[in-house]
Amino acid sequence: MGLGRKPADSRSETPSLSKYVQVLAEHRSSEWAWRHYKDVLADLLRIRNAKRIMEIGAGRFPLFDRAEVAHLDIEYIANDVDPSELAQAPSEISKACFDISTTNATELGTLSGTIDLTFSKMVFEHLSDTPQAYRNIYRLLSPSGICLNFHPVLFSPPFLINYLAPTGASERLLQRFSPKRNRDEEPKFPAMYDCCWVSESFRNTLRDIGYRYVWQLPFWFHGYFVKFPGLQQCDWLINKIAERANWTTLASYCYTIVVK
């Protein structure tokens, strides 16, 4: 990976982290973002020298397995709002059942200031109050703690369709676009897309919460229309134009990274 275009925001610099974010910002493909997400988290662990991490919305399938947790020598906490989902997660990891976007989670007091890294993947589109979630994350993080949330961008066509369609219709569309998805193993949760966009105004909201550093790294392209060649070709062209013009509003996904 080489240095190149600057990330969407960096008010000032943290020596190693800011350089690393510049490297990440070279990559504009969603395929890269999906393929390397776990590698990016491992790098952030090393940069922060993190010892205690929390996966937000881990559910029954935490991102890191027991061998990886042991290799990284970390305490791994899986968070989820649904106790039945969390109950099916591996028994060897710690669990914290609460809604990251609520103002009434008593667990926040217990964990306050103790988490070196929090992260989530395709979770924040399901939150009803994203700014409150970031306020809670700020409270959870230790000094200089890092949070990385990997989320869709609302105005990408498949997510805009999902947002506008009634729940039943969006479930049928999701099943058609993703026919391999198992409804029992991968239940669909309502998507609200609160603040799921790339914008200066949202970055200002995060700064106002107290975060010292804020970056948003957009990625373009998705695989939702693969079964519809004509629609896929049209969508690919729109994404290509948007990527070249750096129209972040039309990005498909985003890494939002904040530092306490």
Side-chain angles (χ1 to χ4, degrees):
M1 295 186 294
L3 297 179
R5 73 178 178 94
K6 293 183 179 180
D9 177 66
S10 179
R11 175 177 283 186
S12 55
E13 294 198 342
T14 303
S16 59
L17 179 58
S18 64
K19 291 180 180 178
Y20 180 70
V21 172
Q22 288 181 25
V23 171
L24 292 183
E26 279 292 300
H27 301 280
R28 305 169 72 90
S29 165
S30 294
E31 181 182 358
W32 185 95
W34 280 94
R35 190 169 65 247
H36 291 278
Y37 178 65
K38 188 182 285 190
D39 297 330
V40 170
L41 287 171
D43 288 340
L44 293 178
L45 279 167
R46 287 188 286 270
I47 290 171
R48 176 58 183 83
N49 192 27
K51 297 300 181 183
R52 196 181 205 196
I53 72 173
M54 174 182 285
E55 180 177 357
I56 298 167
R60 66 185 79 177
F61 299 120
L63 186 65
F64 291 91
D65 61 32
R66 179 168 62 177
E68 291 168 325
V69 170
H71 175 73
L72 292 168
D73 190 26
I74 53 174
E75 179 185 356
Y76 193 103
I77 302 173
N79 157 265
D80 203 272
V81 67
D82 188 337
S84 63
E85 283 290 306
L86 207 55
Q88 298 180 67
S91 58
E92 63 270 10
I93 63 173
S94 301
K95 300 173 184 179
C97 187
F98 65 91
D99 183 352
I100 193 64
S101 63
T102 186
T103 58
N104 301 314
T106 57
E107 292 85 352
L108 286 170
T110 304
L111 295 169
S112 180
T114 69
I115 309 298
D116 300 319
L117 173 70
T118 71
F119 63 95
S120 70
K121 184 176 74 171
M122 303 304 122
V123 170
F124 268 54
E125 67 271 27
H126 302 293
L127 302 185
S128 60
D129 190 342
T130 294
Q132 183 59 46
Y134 276 102
R135 284 191 282 270
N136 289 341
I137 290 169
Y138 186 88
R139 186 177 173 187
L140 288 170
L141 289 174
S142 60
S144 299
I146 301 170
C147 172
L148 165 59
N149 293 317
F150 183 19
H151 58 84
V153 177
L154 171 60
F155 301 108
S156 182
F159 307 126
L160 188 59
I161 291 170
N162 189 39
Y163 174 72
L164 294 174
T167 301
S170 66
E171 170 65 18
R172 291 191 294 273
L173 284 169
L174 181 64
Q175 190 66 28
R176 189 168 185 185
F177 289 151
S178 306
K180 294 182 180 180
R181 174 176 163 269
N182 185 306
R183 293 188 184 186
D184 295 325
E185 292 185 359
E186 299 181 39
K188 181 186 183 297
F189 301 101
M192 303 175 207
Y193 298 99
D194 182 50
C195 297
C196 280
W197 44 72
V198 183
S199 73
E200 183 66 20
S201 63
F202 181 58
R203 293 191 290 276
N204 283 334
T205 296
L206 297 176
R207 296 185 195 114
D208 290 342
I209 289 171
Y211 290 105
R212 293 186 297 134
Y213 306 103
V214 178
W215 295 277
Q216 286 192 293
L217 308 182
F219 302 96
W220 285 265
F221 305 101
H222 58 82
Y224 277 93
F225 298 149
V226 66
K227 293 185 68 179
F228 307 92
L231 184 58
Q232 182 185 31
Q233 185 175 10
C234 180
D235 184 72
W236 182 90
L237 181 60
I238 292 172
N239 270 267
K240 193 64 179 176
I241 293 171
E243 181 214 352
R244 289 183 175 178
N246 202 36
W247 293 342
T248 58
T249 300
L250 295 178
S252 298
Y253 298 97
C254 177
Y255 282 177
T256 296
I257 304 172
V258 293
V259 181
K260 184 173 180 177

